[in-house]
Amino acid sequence: MKPTRVLAWIAGGAVALVVVAIAAVVLLVDPGDFRATIEQRVAAATGRTLEIEGALGLDLFPWIALDVGRVTLGNAPGFGDAPFLTAERTRLGVRLLPLLRGRLEARRIAVEGLQVALVTQADGTTNWQDLANRPQPGGESAGGSPLREVSIAGLDLAGATLTLRDEGERTATRVRELEVHTGALGGTAPVEVRVAGLLDAGDGTASTRFAVDAEATIDVAASRATLRALVVEGERSAGAPAAGAGSSGAQRAVATGSAPSAARTVPFRVASPEVRYDWGTGALAPTTLDVRWGDLPLSVELRGERLADDRLVTGRVRVPEFAPREVLPSLGIDLPATRDPQALGRAAVDASFRSTPTRLQVDSLVATLDRSKISGTAAIEDLERGALAFDLKVDAVDLDAYRPPAEPGTGAAPDATPAATRRDAPRDAAAPTPLPFDT
């Protein structure tokens, strides 16, 4: 018998032996037997209790594929009995033969029904900082990682809910119906990313449905993330307030004298060719944003410094000329009728800004409203208290144009201004002229 034929027989026998061994493992080994081992390993790595409540499925060839039912991960000490994380189903797989050669090739990782609750207590303690700061058991292996390459075909997250609760501020933010889909992960190649969901405060008063598409590049060595062709779009809905609760919509209705309207939906879109962020320094590189809020277009230039700590943001906002009477209703703002039908027909804004966690400063403000030009500076000195300071100049204003229309048949609008303060009443020429509206 020729040596090549002998080698072929040996190789074929070895392959057959491997196939038989794998078949025996699949048929004879119950994946549930690994449940306790997995739970123990996770507990050792996280200090949390993992419970695998659902079924475990296992395939070994050509993928080591794991299909896990419902799992829960316990909360940090002092945060109650509610789980930190719950997932209804998780599927992942690793190709077997490349793994034997030191390469991790994973197919798409799919997670369904993920729920994560992030809580910050009044003293600033969080229920995730122990995971972020926890050292790995035993440190790094003596020989280093045996994996020379890692690649994952992609990530699919469906039906997820992320809740952030700040007990000190008594606020809550929730992202539900969260979907995350990515292209191939691993290496330095750009990755297509799509994130969509519904953002609200959990009280039913307002919500924002959003979708984010971008091409992401993560450079871990340089601590830098880059998003190219970024597009964020969605709609903001102002729901009906709870009984006895106030709302901006109700307050606006009182201010304008109109009846409260049903829930309004305002579409929005934000686009940028490139956004670069350095998480090591907290620096946001100069970024341009094209924004459309309802029918209102804006152009925004901004940059950030120390965003992880001081959160200093500077930039410029330009609103090209638009017609407030036509555009503002698309933002849910009802404008009253005016004596001059051309009033509120033209406006534009150009201003620079500087923002910190406690203060907002607006400089180099130049704005126009109809025939009026406004310039100067303004600031909210204390964002928490709403303390306002401004130094504005208005070249001219025709207040009569913004008064209510004249009553039919009278030719004049109702005037509740006391006679002593009306413009047609006799007065001392040196006395200041009061403005004909209530403040």
Side-chain angles (χ1 to χ4, degrees):
M1 183 177 294
K2 295 181 178 180
T4 55
R5 182 169 297 183
V6 173
L7 292 175
W9 275 100
I10 293 174
V15 171
L17 182 60
V18 170
V19 171
V20 171
I22 292 174
V25 170
V26 172
L27 294 174
L28 301 177
V29 175
D30 181 5
D33 294 340
F34 297 101
R35 187 186 306 265
T37 300
I38 296 174
E39 293 175 343
Q40 291 169 5
R41 292 290 181 88
V42 172
T46 65
R48 308 280 188 94
T49 300
L50 177 74
E51 294 185 9
I52 303 177
E53 304 172 4
L56 272 174
L58 179 67
D59 291 323
L60 293 180
F61 195 83
W63 299 86
I64 301 176
L66 192 61
D67 191 335
V68 186
R70 178 182 171 85
V71 299
T72 62
L73 183 65
N75 227 323
F79 286 86
D81 297 329
F84 169 76
L85 177 151
T86 302
E88 297 300 327
R89 186 182 184 188
T90 304
R91 289 168 292 163
L92 56 92
V94 177
R95 192 176 290 276
L96 178 59
L97 295 181
L99 189 64
L100 299 177
R101 294 191 290 269
R103 296 201 315 270
L104 175 63
E105 294 183 12
R107 63 184 181 186
R108 299 190 71 84
I109 299 174
V111 183
E112 301 174 10
L114 177 68
Q115 296 187 46
V116 181
L118 304 179
V119 180
T120 301
Q121 294 179 332
D123 63 357
T125 305
T126 69
N127 67 340
W128 69 86
Q129 64 190 30
D130 62 317
L131 297 177
N133 300 331
R134 187 178 181 85
Q136 293 299 315
E140 297 182 359
S141 61
S145 172
L147 298 176
R148 297 188 301 270
E149 299 177 20
V150 176
S151 64
I152 301 172
L155 172 66
D156 293 306
L157 189 66
T161 299
L162 174 63
T163 304
L164 299 93
R165 191 171 76 251
D166 191 320
E167 296 179 345
E169 299 291 336
R170 296 184 179 180
T171 60
T173 302
R174 180 178 62 175
V175 183
R176 52 194 175 96
E177 302 176 28
L178 180 61
E179 305 272 337
V180 179
H181 304 284
T182 76
L185 304 173
T188 58
V191 179
E192 296 289 337
V193 178
R194 179 173 178 82
V195 180
L198 184 64
L199 175 68
D200 62 28
D203 56 6
T205 57
S207 62
T208 302
R209 185 170 293 280
F210 66 91
V212 181
D213 291 282
E215 184 183 83
T217 303
I218 308 297
D219 188 339
V220 177
S223 302
R224 184 181 301 118
T226 303
L227 299 179
R228 293 185 176 88
L230 171 66
V231 176
V232 182
E233 53 189 352
E235 56 186 24
R236 172 76 172 173
S237 299
S247 72
S248 59
Q251 294 165 356
R252 181 169 61 248
V254 172
T256 61
S258 61
S261 60
R264 302 200 186 214
T265 298
V266 179
F268 63 87
R269 186 178 190 273
V270 180
S272 178
E274 183 177 84
V275 178
R276 289 183 290 123
Y277 177 65
D278 186 324
W279 67 79
T281 62
L284 175 68
T287 302
T288 60
L289 302 175
D290 289 323
V291 182
R292 193 166 191 88
W293 181 255
D295 293 334
L296 180 68
L298 302 90
S299 175
V300 181
E301 301 172 4
L302 54 84
R303 64 183 302 166
E305 301 176 29
R306 304 183 299 278
L307 295 183
D309 302 306
D310 299 332
R311 302 199 299 277
L312 173 61
V313 180
T314 58
R316 184 176 183 180
V317 177
R318 296 185 184 91
V319 182
E321 185 172 309
F322 69 101
R325 190 169 294 285
E326 298 175 3
V327 171
L328 295 187
S330 73
L331 307 181
I333 301 174
D334 295 321
L335 297 176
T338 55
R339 177 172 296 187
D340 182 354
Q342 302 300 317
L344 303 176
R346 173 175 173 266
V349 178
D350 189 341
S352 299
F353 67 89
R354 176 185 175 91
S355 173
T356 69
T358 59
R359 189 174 188 274
L360 173 62
Q361 174 76 35
V362 177
D363 296 311
S364 305
L365 171 64
V366 177
T368 57
L369 178 61
D370 296 325
R371 292 182 291 273
S372 301
K373 182 176 180 180
I374 304 111
S375 60
T377 64
I380 303 177
E381 300 286 357
D382 189 319
L383 292 175
E384 184 175 352
R385 295 188 298 110
L388 181 65
F390 57 88
D391 181 9
L392 299 175
K393 296 179 181 178
V394 182
D395 63 347
V397 59
D398 181 4
L399 294 175
D400 279 335
Y402 303 101
R403 297 177 68 190
E407 289 186 340
T410 66
D415 192 350
T417 306
T421 62
R422 288 168 54 178
R423 291 181 296 166
D424 55 355
R427 64 179 72 253
D428 184 350
T433 302
L435 295 176
F437 58 84
D438 295 331
T439 57

